[in-house]
């Protein structure tokens, strides 16, 4: 007779055409707490459940966060499989090769995922650019976000929603098939591409980074009205920041 309340714990939920967790977790729960305003039965919007904060303190640091890659398929995702992983790493290696000798490389720090696989990411990347610097992979990315002027994500997953929820200047390298996203998400990403937030190639990403050569230019670019209006809608749909989430959660639990 008890109720089962589940909560979205990361990104990609309700954004892919086929996302097992989105389907199954909603199906087995009595109430499901989503990060965004998802119009589905049993789903209650509560916002990003992580404790996020945004400070005005800025450094020259640019952080690129790596996507977790496993050796074998554990579940069906938009980037599942050996060939998708190989494409992902090939494009990142190309990007790091392009950075060699450039000033951007001085301020770039790579945040590897703490789980290991047979891809040997760090070794791969250093073979293309020995100048690369790495953050402590055991540290939480949430704690690293505020130390940077700009975050680069390499997938539209948890990290990009956390950054956008607090309106952190963000770039995304997305090399996978856009047609595997649902129509709503695909339309957003196409608009993000036009506005320079999402990039489909390493060359495009580098060109954007070179145009954002200081904190002032980043803030000006990021705060453009057209860009902020789109980001506001995206947050509302997929990952808004809710200061009242604990109070809301109490009401949801007590609701009969």
């Amino acid at each position: 007779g008890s109720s089962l309340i589940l909560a979205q714990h990361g990104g990609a939920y309700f954004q892919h055409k086929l996302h097992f967790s989105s389907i199954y977790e909603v199906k087995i729960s009595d109430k499901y707490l989503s990060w965004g305003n998802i119009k589905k039965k049993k789903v209650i919007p509560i916002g990003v459940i992580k404790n996020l904060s945004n400070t005005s303190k800025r450094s020259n640091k640019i952080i690129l966060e790596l996507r977790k890659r496993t050796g074998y398929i554990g579940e069906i995702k938009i980037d599942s499989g050996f060939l998708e992983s190989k494409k992902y790493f090939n494009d990142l290696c190309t990007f790091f090769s392009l950075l060699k000798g450039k000033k951007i490389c001085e301020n770039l720090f790579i945040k590897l995922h703490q789980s290991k696989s047979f891809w040997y990411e760090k070794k791969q990347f250093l073979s293309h650019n020995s100048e690369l610097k790495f953050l402590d992979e055991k540290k939480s990315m949430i704690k690293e976000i505020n130390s940077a002027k700009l975050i680069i994500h390499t997938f539209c997953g948890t990290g990009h929603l956390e950054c956008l929820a607090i309106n952190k200047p963000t770039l995304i390298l997305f090399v996978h098939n856009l047609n595997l996203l649902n129509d709503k998400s695909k339309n957003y990403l196409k608009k993000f591409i036009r506005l320079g937030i999402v990039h489909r190639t390493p060359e495009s990403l580098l060109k954007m980074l070179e145009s954002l050569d200081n904190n002032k230019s980043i803030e000006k670019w990021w705060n453009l009205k057209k860009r902020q209006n789109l980001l506001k809608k995206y947050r509302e749909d997929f990952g808004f920041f809710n200061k009242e989430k604990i109070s809301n959660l109490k009401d949801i639990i007590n609701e009969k």
Side-chain angles (χ1 to χ4, degrees):
S2 59
S3 294
L4 177 62
I5 302 175
L6 298 181
Q8 177 181 342
H9 71 276
Y13 280 73
F14 310 107
Q15 293 198 265
H16 296 179
K17 283 183 179 176
L18 179 62
H19 187 265
F20 177 78
S21 298
S22 302
I23 299 165
Y24 186 69
E25 290 174 16
V26 172
K27 184 177 180 180
I28 66 171
S29 62
D30 294 293
K31 296 177 184 178
Y32 192 83
L33 312 181
S34 68
W35 285 17
N37 288 294
I38 308 301
K39 306 293 189 293
K40 284 183 178 289
K41 188 179 178 182
K42 298 194 291 186
V43 177
I44 303 168
I46 198 168
V48 178
I49 60 174
K50 310 281 183 73
N51 286 322
L52 304 174
S53 63
N54 193 8
T55 67
S56 57
K57 189 178 179 181
R58 294 286 184 271
S59 69
N60 288 322
K61 190 187 293 182
I62 299 170
I63 298 177
L64 183 147
E65 185 179 24
L66 205 70
R67 170 83 166 159
K68 178 184 177 182
R69 304 306 311 170
T70 56
Y72 307 97
I73 295 175
E75 55 186 315
I76 297 172
K77 291 182 178 179
I78 199 169
D79 59 338
S80 291
F82 179 88
L83 291 178
E84 287 298 316
S85 293
K86 193 172 189 312
K87 176 177 172 55
Y88 175 82
F89 285 120
N90 284 347
D91 281 356
L92 282 173
C93 286
T94 298
F95 176 66
F96 295 137
S97 292
L98 292 170
L99 282 180
K100 197 181 297 183
K102 293 187 179 290
K103 189 177 178 181
I104 296 166
C105 206
E106 297 174 10
N107 298 320
L108 182 75
F109 292 83
I110 301 164
K111 175 71 165 59
L112 298 173
H113 197 278
Q114 56 184 322
S115 65
K116 303 299 177 190
S117 72
F118 61 53
W119 292 104
Y120 299 107
E121 298 95 326
K122 189 172 183 178
K123 187 177 179 181
Q124 269 202 73
F125 299 156
L126 286 170
S127 72
H128 286 81
N129 186 340
S130 60
E131 303 168 12
L132 297 175
K133 297 186 284 291
F134 297 83
L135 296 175
D136 182 351
E137 58 206 55
K138 294 178 182 177
K139 281 189 177 180
S140 167
M141 187 59 188
I142 291 176
K143 294 179 180 177
E144 296 285 1
I145 288 173
N146 279 324
S147 69
K149 64 179 180 181
L150 181 68
I151 305 292
I152 303 171
H153 288 288
T154 53
F155 187 72
C156 290
T158 304
H160 93 289
L161 289 180
E162 291 171 347
C163 282
L164 297 185
I166 57 172
N167 204 25
K168 183 75 177 181
T170 301
L171 296 176
I172 302 165
L173 178 63
F174 189 83
V175 300
H176 305 290
N177 189 347
L178 285 178
N179 292 318
L180 296 177
L181 297 169
N182 60 34
D183 289 342
K184 190 173 188 177
S185 295
K186 186 166 72 169
N187 287 336
Y188 269 120
L189 257 68
K190 285 181 177 178
K191 292 175 182 177
F192 284 159
I193 291 168
R194 288 196 291 270
L195 289 175
I197 297 171
V198 170
H199 297 267
R200 302 287 281 149
T201 66
E203 292 81 5
S204 173
L205 177 61
L206 177 61
K207 187 176 179 181
M208 177 55 70
L209 279 171
E210 288 180 324
S211 71
L212 303 174
D213 58 354
N214 58 62
N215 290 13
K216 191 174 180 180
S217 63
I218 290 172
E219 295 294 332
K220 184 179 179 181
W221 173 81
W222 187 250
N223 290 316
L224 183 75
K225 188 176 181 180
K226 188 176 182 180
R227 195 169 283 112
Q228 282 297 312
N229 287 341
L230 181 61
L231 288 165
K232 183 181 178 183
K233 291 177 183 176
Y234 188 73
R235 278 194 292 273
E236 289 170 354
D237 282 339
F238 296 114
F240 63 89
F241 182 57
N242 180 10
K243 293 181 180 179
E244 305 297 323
K245 60 179 177 286
I246 300 300
S247 175
N248 293 160
L249 182 57
K250 288 179 181 177
D251 294 337
I252 291 165
I253 292 171
N254 291 327
E255 190 181 68
K256 294 181 180 179

